[in-house]
């Protein structure tokens, strides 16, 4: 019997290495050998149908260009147009009704694998061909922070090129209020030379685990010049997920000690007074800490052979920091740690809706798209590149002509409206007379020419 189990384990590992081609019977054989779970293990689980809301989650698989380090444009494969993909938040007990549409321009099949789900691999995690859509339901039974990723072989290339993201399953009873950020650690393996200014992934470097960049949230040193903020002695909650695909993230905040670490983010897994915690590829953890003194506190991977490749960020602690959000979006941009909603990609039935986008709307009769000027968005640029409106209420109907997401961003006015691939959205806001710059904030898109001018009132 012992030789049978050892042989089964070795065979299963071999199958994983060649591309996850078949694992079901071996996994079942191993599970039959384990003892029955302890009663405490099932105390917070709900089997069968979900006990919460039905949450609609839609993601498109699409390739685009993203800046992964200053001046380094990389051809990423993505969920939702960014690497990492959008941060998803649901609650323990929710039923997630997931829809994947494959809009690959490279004729690649893609799939989804939610580490938070219990669902048959041979039914729901299979490749979706280009141009097709697939939907299935799963129940979020375990709280924590989990990875989602593409599982089409070779899985290494799909993850290394950007097809991953984090999903946070909030515990049924909630958590104490805190300032929260989601951090996704990952590696990038560009080739030696760009092709027409854009780097492609190098499979040989991926297999050798020789990354050029190890990053948080898709870009080397993203939070060095734009640090995360907190107030002294404020409870900070960091949801850290390591997408890998290969390296362990030895997560550490310099100048601080973690009050609590919860492996995989599950509140039943409490550890106290931790200096550094290893987050394995494909794993996660929830870190809670309070920093008593104002100052700057770097967060890093303490695997210092990789820290200098971009795995450094800053937490700026100041009494002047703005107050923390009171709620966090159900679907959010990964680039600011899950604070900015991504509109139109998550819907909930049964009374709980996604958090609204932060675009300020006028108080009197916005009236949807009535009276809106039309702006077409494409990677080649906005059409027309200049808009002139009387104001002070501005309505812009954004038509996305591309098979990839875009947004309309106006920094001076605090406007950021996302529009899904092939979809339409309306931006409604107030603006004083003046000239404003609008652009698409998705990395690489502004550099490709997605920028224009909005003139409100008389031209200056």
């Amino acid at each position: 019997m012992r030789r049978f189990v050892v042989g089964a384990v070795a065979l299963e590992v071999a199958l994983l290495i060649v591309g996850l081609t078949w694992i079901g019977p071996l996994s079942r054989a191993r599970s039959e050998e384990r003892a029955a779970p302890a009663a405490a293990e099932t105390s917070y689980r709900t089997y069968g149908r979900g006990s919460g809301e039905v949450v609609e989650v839609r993601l498109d698989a699409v390739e685009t260009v993203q800046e992964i380090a200053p001046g380094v444009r990389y051809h990423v494969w993505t969920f939702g147009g960014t690497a990492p993909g959008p941060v998803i938040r649901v609650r323990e007990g929710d039923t997630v009704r997931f829809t994947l549409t494959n809009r690959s321009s490279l004729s690649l099949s893609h799939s989804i694998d939610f580490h938070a789900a219990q669902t048959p691999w041979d039914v729901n995690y299979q490749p979706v061909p280009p141009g097709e859509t697939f939907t299935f339901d799963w129940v979020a039974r375990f709280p924590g922070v989990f990875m989602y990723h593409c599982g089409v072989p070779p899985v290494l290339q799909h993850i290394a090129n950007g097809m991953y993201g984090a999903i946070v399953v909030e515990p049924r009873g909630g958590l104490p209020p805190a300032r929260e950020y989601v951090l996704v650690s990952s590696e990038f393996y560009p080739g030696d030379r760009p092709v027409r200014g854009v780097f492609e992934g190098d499979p040989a470097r991926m297999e050798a685990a020789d990354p050029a960049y190890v990053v948080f949230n898709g870009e080397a040193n993203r939070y060095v010049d734009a640090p995360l903020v907190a107030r002294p002695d404020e409870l900070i909650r960091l949801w850290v997920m390591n997408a890998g695909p290969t390296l362990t993230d030895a997560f550490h905040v310099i100048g601080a000690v973690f009050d609590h670490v919860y492996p995989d983010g599950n509140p039943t897994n409490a550890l106290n007074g931790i200096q550094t915690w290893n987050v394995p590829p494909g794993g996660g953890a929830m870190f809670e800490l309070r920093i008593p003194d104002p100052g700057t506190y770097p967060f890093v991977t303490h695997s210092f052979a990789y820290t200098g490749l971009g795995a450094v960020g800053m937490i700026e602690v100041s009494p002047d920091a703005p107050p923390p959000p009171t709620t966090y979006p159900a679907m959010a941009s990964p680039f600011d740690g899950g604070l900015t909603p991504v509109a139109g990609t998550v819907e909930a039935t049964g009374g709980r809706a996604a958090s609204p986008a932060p675009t300020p709307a006028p108080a009197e009769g916005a009236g949807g798209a009535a009276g809106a000027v039309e702006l077409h968005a494409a990677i080649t640029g906005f059409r027309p590149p200049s808009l002139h409106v009387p104001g002070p209420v501005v309505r812009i109907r954004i038509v996305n002509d591309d098979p990839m997401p875009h947004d309309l961003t106006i920094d001076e006015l605090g406007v950021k409206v996302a529009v899904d691939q092939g979809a339409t959205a309306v931006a409604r806001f107030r603006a004083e007379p003046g000239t404003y710059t609008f652009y698409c904030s998705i990395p690489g898109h502004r550099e490709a020419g997605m920028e224009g001018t909005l003139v409100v009132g008389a031209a200056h």
Side-chain angles (χ1 to χ4, degrees):
M1 182 63 181
R2 178 179 178 184
R3 283 181 294 177
F4 168 77
V5 173
V6 171
V9 171
L11 180 57
E12 185 172 358
V13 170
L15 288 171
L16 285 170
I17 292 173
V18 299
L20 294 175
T21 55
W22 185 74
I23 62 174
L26 291 175
S27 295
R28 286 193 292 272
R30 292 178 66 197
S31 66
E32 289 168 1
E33 296 296 319
R34 291 196 297 263
E41 180 186 351
T42 61
S43 61
Y44 56 87
R45 283 203 287 184
T46 303
Y47 290 93
R49 296 180 60 85
S51 57
E53 311 294 352
V54 177
V55 182
E56 303 272 356
V57 176
R58 299 186 298 273
L59 289 175
D60 287 4
V62 61
E63 299 89 20
T64 186
V65 174
Q66 179 172 311
E67 193 168 84
I68 61 172
V72 180
R73 303 176 68 220
Y74 186 92
H75 191 192
V76 288
W77 309 354
T78 77
F79 291 109
T82 61
V87 175
I88 302 169
R89 279 182 183 256
V90 298
R91 293 175 185 162
E92 181 187 353
D94 282 352
T95 295
V96 178
R97 181 154 296 151
F98 175 71
T99 299
L100 174 65
T101 299
N102 186 354
R103 301 185 187 275
S104 172
S105 58
L106 300 177
S107 298
L108 295 172
S109 292
H110 293 302
S111 69
I112 194 75
D113 179 337
F114 282 105
H115 286 197
Q118 293 171 290
T119 190
W121 167 84
D122 60 337
V123 177
N124 291 330
Y125 288 173
Q126 297 305 296
V128 178
E132 295 192 14
T133 295
F134 181 64
T135 298
F136 65 93
D137 290 1
W138 60 276
V139 177
R141 296 190 176 101
F142 291 86
V145 57
F146 301 92
M147 183 179 183
Y148 66 84
H149 66 90
C150 180
V152 172
V155 182
L156 173 64
Q157 291 185 33
H158 285 250
I159 296 177
N161 279 318
M163 300 201 75
Y164 51 81
I167 178 168
V168 175
V169 181
E170 298 176 351
R172 190 187 311 274
L175 291 168
R179 186 184 296 268
E180 299 188 9
Y181 296 104
V182 179
L183 298 174
V184 177
S185 175
S186 66
E187 307 133 33
F188 283 107
Y189 298 84
D192 293 333
R193 298 179 183 84
V195 178
R196 293 185 294 275
V198 178
F199 286 89
E200 300 284 345
D202 183 342
R205 291 191 71 170
M206 298 172 190
E207 292 171 0
D210 179 27
Y213 302 99
V214 178
V215 306
F216 291 107
N217 290 352
E219 183 180 355
N221 303 319
R222 176 179 292 279
Y223 302 108
V224 171
D225 295 326
L228 307 179
V229 300
R231 292 176 172 177
D233 235 12
E234 177 180 50
L235 179 61
I236 304 168
R237 181 174 296 125
L238 304 176
W239 302 93
V240 179
M241 190 279 288
N242 182 11
T246 301
L247 303 180
T248 293
D249 181 359
F251 191 72
H252 174 76
V253 177
I254 298 174
V257 175
F258 299 118
D259 294 7
H260 310 290
V261 175
Y262 304 86
D264 276 329
N266 191 316
T268 65
N269 298 338
L271 301 171
N272 303 312
I274 302 298
Q275 57 185 316
T276 301
W277 185 257
N278 280 350
V279 183
M286 179 175 72
F287 297 81
E288 290 184 340
L289 69 159
R290 296 180 187 269
I291 300 176
D293 299 320
T296 301
Y297 297 80
F299 58 89
V300 300
T301 177
H302 219 278
S303 298
F304 277 106
Y306 304 106
T307 311
L309 301 184
V312 179
M314 302 290 181
I315 302 174
E316 189 70 36
V317 177
S318 169
D320 298 326
T326 56
T327 60
Y328 293 87
M331 180 78 88
S333 167
F335 299 144
D336 60 6
L339 304 183
T340 304
V342 178
T345 50
V346 172
E347 298 173 358
T349 61
R352 182 162 69 88
S355 301
T359 306
E364 68 271 23
V373 296
E374 188 162 285
L375 180 68
H376 287 258
I379 193 64
T380 53
F382 287 103
R383 293 183 293 110
S386 180
L387 300 175
H388 191 175
V389 298
V393 176
V394 180
R395 302 180 185 88
I396 303 174
R397 182 174 181 266
I398 312 156
V399 180
N400 188 347
D401 295 328
D402 275 351
M404 66 178 70
H406 292 302
D407 66 42
L408 179 74
T409 298
I410 308 175
D411 290 333
E412 303 98 314
L413 302 175
V415 171
K416 190 183 189 74
V417 176
V419 55
D420 289 343
Q421 40 271 60
T424 298
V426 177
R428 303 183 297 273
F429 53 93
R430 288 184 175 275
E432 297 297 324
T435 300
Y436 305 91
T437 298
F438 61 82
Y439 65 96
C440 179
S441 70
I442 295 175
H445 289 205
R446 188 177 191 178
E447 293 80 359
M450 295 195 69
E451 182 176 292
T453 301
L454 170 67
V455 179
V456 179
H460 285 217

